[in-house]
Amino acid sequence: MTVSPDLDRRFRDAAGLLGLLDVGFDVVESPVGELFVAVSDRGLTAISFDTGLDRQLERMARIAGPRVLRSPRSIDATRRELDEYFAGNRRVFDLSLDLRALAPFTVDVLRELARVPYGETTTYGELASRVGRPRAARAVGTVMNRNRIPIVLPCHRVVGSTGDLVGYAGGLDRKVALLELEGAR
């Protein structure tokens, strides 16, 4: 049986409106490549440079539950804010974040990361100090590498102790592009 695109869209929209989704997602075009974007009823759950749907759907099911469905309407607010950011019209995101299934240290680091201003950088060691763990720079680096909401939680703004760009899960070319967009490089 073949379903028309209109019926499919209406089904997905209705599932979202009726609260039948654990996570709605879509793939978004951006100046730094395609982004997998996922949102739960708690907030933005993930942004990923890896748009491999099998991997992402499995990951979302582990985080929020098995009812994961491509639902473009579910991510409208995130898409709008990302578009504004990439157009240079947004410096702060106003999105609720779903940080469930993360360790308390990780949540602490990500909350502090969110305070790093647009157009500025910090170091792994400085973030470690800000969360009361001054000797945990490497652990902060691991948190940055596994950040499941890059761009909104701006791990691209974290640099090495000498100011050098070191590591970025999305690739250093994307890190450079994001820092250049913000005027930080």
Side-chain angles (χ1 to χ4, degrees):
M1 178 166 122
T2 302
V3 175
S4 74
D6 181 58
L7 180 60
D8 181 64
R9 180 191 52 75
R10 290 186 336 199
F11 166 77
R12 292 170 190 277
D13 289 348
L17 290 171
L18 293 171
L20 300 176
L21 298 180
D22 293 321
V23 175
F25 75 90
D26 202 5
V27 175
V28 174
E29 294 292 328
S30 85
V32 293
E34 289 187 329
L35 302 170
F36 173 87
V37 178
V39 175
S40 74
D41 62 344
R42 296 182 187 188
L44 179 59
T45 305
I47 294 177
S48 180
F49 299 107
D50 175 3
T51 57
L53 293 184
D54 287 342
R55 285 183 302 279
Q56 294 300 339
L57 299 182
E58 183 177 314
R59 182 170 77 130
M60 292 303 98
R62 281 193 315 268
I63 292 168
R67 300 177 305 173
V68 180
L69 185 66
R70 187 172 213 145
S71 175
R73 181 177 281 181
S74 297
I75 68 150
D76 280 349
T78 303
R79 182 189 325 263
R80 183 182 80 272
E81 290 197 20
L82 284 170
D83 288 346
E84 292 167 357
Y85 169 80
F86 285 117
N89 299 322
R90 175 170 291 280
R91 292 175 173 238
V92 176
F93 290 93
D94 296 318
L95 301 165
S96 297
L97 304 179
D98 182 349
L99 300 179
R100 74 178 116 174
L102 296 175
F105 174 76
T106 299
V107 172
D108 290 345
V109 170
L110 293 176
R111 288 183 201 268
E112 196 57 46
L113 172 65
R115 292 184 178 103
V116 177
Y118 180 98
E120 295 182 23
T121 59
T122 191
T123 66
Y124 299 97
E126 178 60 30
L127 272 181
S129 291
R130 289 185 195 172
V131 297
R133 304 270 304 275
R135 298 179 67 195
R138 285 188 133 171
V140 166
T142 299
V143 171
M144 296 301 101
N145 182 264
R146 295 180 182 159
N147 176 10
R148 71 178 192 224
I149 310 177
I151 304 170
V152 172
L153 291 173
C155 50
H156 60 277
R157 296 179 190 156
V158 183
V159 297
S161 61
T162 62
D164 292 337
L165 299 184
V166 291
Y168 188 64
L172 284 179
D173 56 332
R174 287 188 175 117
K175 185 171 190 162
V176 168
L178 293 167
L179 291 172
E180 286 176 350
L181 170 75
E182 295 182 7
R185 189 151 179 89

